[in-house]
Amino acid sequence: MNLLVSTDWLAAELGKSDLRVIDATMFLPQHGRQARTEFETAHIPGAVFFDIDEVSDTSSPLPHMLPSAEKFASRMQALGLGDGSRIVVYDNSPLRSAARVWWMLTLFGAHQVAILDGGFEKWQAEGRAVESGKPVVRHRHFTVWADKTMVRDMKQMTDNLRTKAEQVVDARSEGRFLGTEPEPRPELRRGHIPGSKSLPYNRLFNEDGTYKSKDELADLFEAAGIDLSQPTVGTCGSGVTSACLAFAAALLGQPNMAIYDGSWSEWGASPNTPIVTGA
């Protein structure tokens, strides 16, 4: 199974015993939409709903931080996701949140995880089958494991200011990166991590929500000043849209981009972290 699968491919594979489909849609408060409600109204047949806010470290003051490996495994088992599953993730969100769940599943040890190119919007536009209601699932075993080399914390990001061992690429809008646009969370300072580069996640996609070609993606990283053959960390507002950058890097044969999980929700809230505004 490829990292990125088409709607044609998924339609042909639906119903196979080892295939699992996840709706990873999430919204921010300003979107005025409810992801779970929309899922129960219509979703790809057989899909289960992955609640990014709930499958997180709910004791953290930061939004949807990674949960423990044990909590993640427990939630995946309850969703009927287990060892040996081929998993396809999709969303219907302007945040392209499927990439966050792809990253989480990969970090926690799932071996075959793909994203549906174009997501639910493309699926519906093509008139494909949908179903409603809550799915009935059978618990399966999900082995507890975590690859923490894929995640960075504030200390590592602060140390990197000195060592410059890793490139840092920011998936937020250019205005937020420059500090000319307000942050969605008004308590946060504006600007970006010193030395980081800007590559807004929405530039990775075509108008229909599909990922751009590999050549186009490579050109975007190059234009942003990022050499994907070198160690790279993605950051964004709260660790969701930076996963799009990590997924694009994986499509280009570089699967080891880490993500700063706290991202700007943590960095911009601290009174002690250095911040740069402007280009």
Side-chain angles (χ1 to χ4, degrees):
M1 186 170 68
N2 295 327
L3 281 173
L4 191 63
V5 299
S6 68
T7 50
D8 284 341
W9 183 92
L10 181 58
E13 294 291 306
L14 275 185
K16 292 191 175 177
S17 60
D18 65 335
L19 186 75
R20 299 291 182 272
V21 182
I22 294 175
D23 185 320
T25 301
M26 75 167 290
F27 300 114
L28 298 176
Q30 58 265 35
H31 293 137
R33 297 168 64 183
Q34 297 297 321
R36 188 182 293 274
T37 299
E38 292 190 13
F39 169 82
E40 292 178 4
T41 299
H43 54 262
I44 293 176
V48 294
F49 180 71
F50 188 115
D51 188 335
I52 291 174
D53 285 319
E54 197 283 323
V55 187
S56 69
D57 178 3
T58 51
S59 68
S60 173
L62 299 171
H64 40 258
M65 294 285 285
L66 283 171
S68 68
E70 291 75 17
K71 177 175 180 177
F72 187 84
S74 172
R75 295 299 188 271
M76 295 310 96
Q77 289 169 177
L79 289 175
L81 305 167
D83 300 341
S85 297
R86 292 183 300 152
I87 301 171
V88 176
V89 190
Y90 74 87
D91 66 66
N92 191 27
S93 168
L95 301 171
R96 311 298 181 194
S97 47
R100 172 72 181 189
V101 174
W102 165 84
W103 178 72
M104 292 175 71
L105 284 161
T106 303
L107 183 150
F108 285 116
H111 296 295
Q112 294 191 78
V113 189
I115 287 178
L116 177 64
D117 203 14
F120 193 55
E121 183 178 5
K122 188 171 189 290
W123 183 271
Q124 283 189 303
E126 294 168 348
R128 298 184 187 273
V130 299
E131 65 182 14
S132 60
K134 299 179 180 179
V136 177
V137 298
R138 179 173 62 88
H139 280 52
R140 305 186 74 217
H141 178 71
F142 191 100
T143 299
V144 177
W145 185 85
D147 180 3
K148 291 302 179 70
T149 66
M150 296 175 64
V151 61
R152 297 289 179 271
D153 60 22
M154 181 184 277
K155 183 182 185 305
Q156 290 169 310
M157 297 300 290
T158 303
D159 289 345
N160 191 61
L161 295 176
R162 173 179 49 83
T163 65
K164 297 180 171 57
E166 296 182 311
Q167 307 166 104
V168 180
V169 57
D170 193 321
R172 295 175 302 153
S173 69
E174 185 175 35
R176 290 175 66 190
F177 180 85
L178 296 174
T180 58
E181 290 177 10
E183 285 293 317
R185 298 171 179 86
E187 70 276 11
L188 303 182
R189 295 180 292 161
R190 300 186 190 184
H192 59 268
I193 297 172
S196 58
K197 307 292 186 181
S198 175
L199 178 50
Y201 76 97
N202 58 2
R203 295 182 185 173
L204 306 176
F205 298 93
N206 298 307
E207 287 188 10
D208 65 353
T210 56
Y211 276 85
K212 291 184 175 178
S213 70
K214 290 182 180 180
D215 286 345
E216 290 173 308
L217 294 175
D219 288 346
L220 286 168
F221 279 105
E222 182 177 358
I226 297 296
D227 179 358
L228 286 177
S229 68
Q230 301 302 311
T232 308
V233 180
T235 184
C236 57
S238 59
V240 174
T241 59
S242 54
C244 297
L245 301 183
F247 183 75
L251 289 176
L252 294 171
Q254 302 293 338
N256 298 318
M257 182 188 290
I259 288 177
Y260 172 28
D261 201 26
S263 281
W264 201 252
S265 295
E266 181 176 43
W267 194 274
S270 171
N272 303 315
T273 48
I275 286 176
V276 175
T277 57

